[in-house]
Amino acid sequence: MHLWRYKLSLRGYRAMILQHMIFCLLLIHRGRPLIVVPLRAVVATVGEEVVLPCHVKPEMNANGMRLEWARPDLTPGFVYEWADEKEHVVNKQPSYRGRTSVVKEKLEHGDISLKISNVTISDEGIYRCLVPQVGQEAFIKLIVGAVSFPKVTVISKTSSRVVLQCESAGWYPEPELLWLDGEGNLLSAGPAETLRGPDDLYTVSSRVTVEKRHSNNITCRVQQRNTNQSRETHIHVPGRFHDEMLHMPYVKLLWFLIMLHDIFQSRPGL
């Protein structure tokens, strides 16, 4: 159901962008000002700062104009209002207070882009950029992602194999988890377990059984394709020969003698 809603929302956004492009072409033909935004969605990470580009074309001084940034899906929907050369906050959506702004110096050049600070997951959505005096509006989509590095632990091991577990919490949207060998090939593992917490962040985990070889560098990679984000952690699994050598009595004796030698070398008086 969640995926169906996402696809429906994406189709609606694309249709809206197409209609806006056709309308802009008509206005260009008539020589009227345009409100221009990128065709691609803007991607941001939780906790960071993001700018939603929006410009008046041809360039003109928008400082004295009324500017409205809104989220059509929220009530109240205004995330930023500019009029009389200052911000108005009476009708502002409470979750955006103190976090949205425009650059006054850039308004003089028709740059009415919106800056959002300390981005949260709930900021994701479609934004409307409106200049009533120009009589136009444009829509831009913001995609928000959250990432974290995965943690790899050894669950169990025998003389021939090791069971590893990888877990990563604090992701949004829902990520996928991959196991890779030292050459970058996918390892066969069971289906990853994904949990969604009350904060809407996802935790993903998976286990894999690895055969001990002479060189076994294993990578756990967690990635999110929509936001083009990925994080990975590497672990080295010692080969069987390495384990057998460590358990040989003469190897242990050799290590003991080396340690004694280092001690005497560091203390000349002994």
Side-chain angles (χ1 to χ4, degrees):
M1 179 64 73
H2 176 72
L3 180 60
W4 179 82
R5 288 180 178 176
Y6 174 78
K7 289 182 177 178
L8 183 61
S9 173
L10 189 58
R11 291 195 194 101
Y13 175 68
R14 287 173 177 170
M16 186 165 40
I17 288 296
L18 179 60
Q19 292 174 0
H20 178 67
M21 288 177 63
I22 295 173
F23 184 63
C24 285
L25 289 174
L26 292 173
L27 290 176
I28 290 173
H29 180 69
R30 297 176 182 177
R32 293 179 56 183
L34 302 175
I35 302 299
V36 181
V37 297
L39 297 181
R40 292 178 177 269
V42 176
V43 179
T45 303
V46 169
E48 295 185 350
E49 183 181 278
V50 66
V51 174
L52 303 183
C54 187
H55 296 80
V56 181
K57 296 292 183 179
E59 183 180 304
M60 63 177 61
N61 191 344
N63 191 33
M65 298 180 180
R66 177 177 178 82
L67 314 174
E68 297 178 1
W69 277 93
R71 284 270 302 272
D73 59 322
L74 298 180
T75 303
F78 289 111
V79 299
Y80 190 84
E81 284 185 276
W82 176 272
D84 303 321
E85 300 188 10
K86 63 181 179 181
E87 180 186 4
H88 290 242
V89 297
V90 176
N91 300 317
K92 191 171 187 175
Q93 167 63 228
S95 62
Y96 285 88
R97 288 185 177 175
R99 297 196 301 120
T100 54
S101 62
V102 295
V103 180
K104 186 175 181 179
E105 292 76 15
K106 292 185 177 182
L107 293 179
E108 299 176 0
H109 304 286
D111 186 345
I112 55 177
S113 303
L114 179 72
K115 181 171 69 174
I116 305 176
S117 303
N118 192 23
V119 172
T120 66
I121 291 177
S122 60
D123 292 340
E124 180 171 295
I126 296 175
Y127 290 74
R128 183 188 69 187
C129 176
L130 171 65
V131 182
Q133 186 173 330
V134 175
Q136 274 199 67
E137 61 184 13
F139 295 86
I140 184 171
K141 184 177 180 64
L142 174 63
I143 298 175
V144 178
V147 300
S148 69
F149 279 93
K151 179 181 179 182
V152 179
T153 54
V154 177
I155 300 300
S156 63
K157 61 180 177 179
T158 64
S159 60
S160 61
R161 63 184 59 184
V162 175
V163 178
L164 303 175
Q165 174 170 295
C166 180
E167 180 174 302
S168 187
W171 279 82
Y172 186 88
E174 183 177 350
E176 60 179 336
L177 189 152
L178 307 173
W179 288 98
L180 308 172
D181 63 16
E183 298 178 350
N185 301 313
L186 285 174
L187 295 175
S188 177
E193 179 181 0
T194 305
L195 300 175
R196 188 174 187 175
D199 54 1
D200 287 333
L201 297 179
Y202 290 90
T203 298
V204 61
S205 62
S206 174
R207 291 187 180 185
V208 67
T209 301
V210 179
E211 300 292 333
K212 289 186 176 180
R213 297 172 184 171
H214 294 296
S215 179
N216 233 349
N217 294 310
I218 307 300
T219 299
C220 173
R221 177 184 297 164
V222 182
Q223 62 186 27
Q224 215 299 318
R225 297 185 184 275
N226 292 338
T227 59
N228 197 30
Q229 292 284 342
S230 67
R231 297 291 186 274
E232 57 186 39
T233 297
H234 310 278
I235 185 172
H236 177 72
V237 178
R240 181 186 296 185
F241 178 76
H242 177 271
D243 287 349
E244 291 174 352
M245 286 292 293
L246 287 180
H247 287 87
M248 291 182 179
Y250 66 82
V251 173
K252 293 181 179 180
L253 176 60
L254 177 61
W255 278 108
F256 177 71
L257 293 176
I258 291 175
M259 291 176 62
L260 284 179
H261 177 267
D262 290 342
I263 292 174
F264 281 104
Q265 286 290 102
S266 61
R267 299 180 182 181
L270 293 180

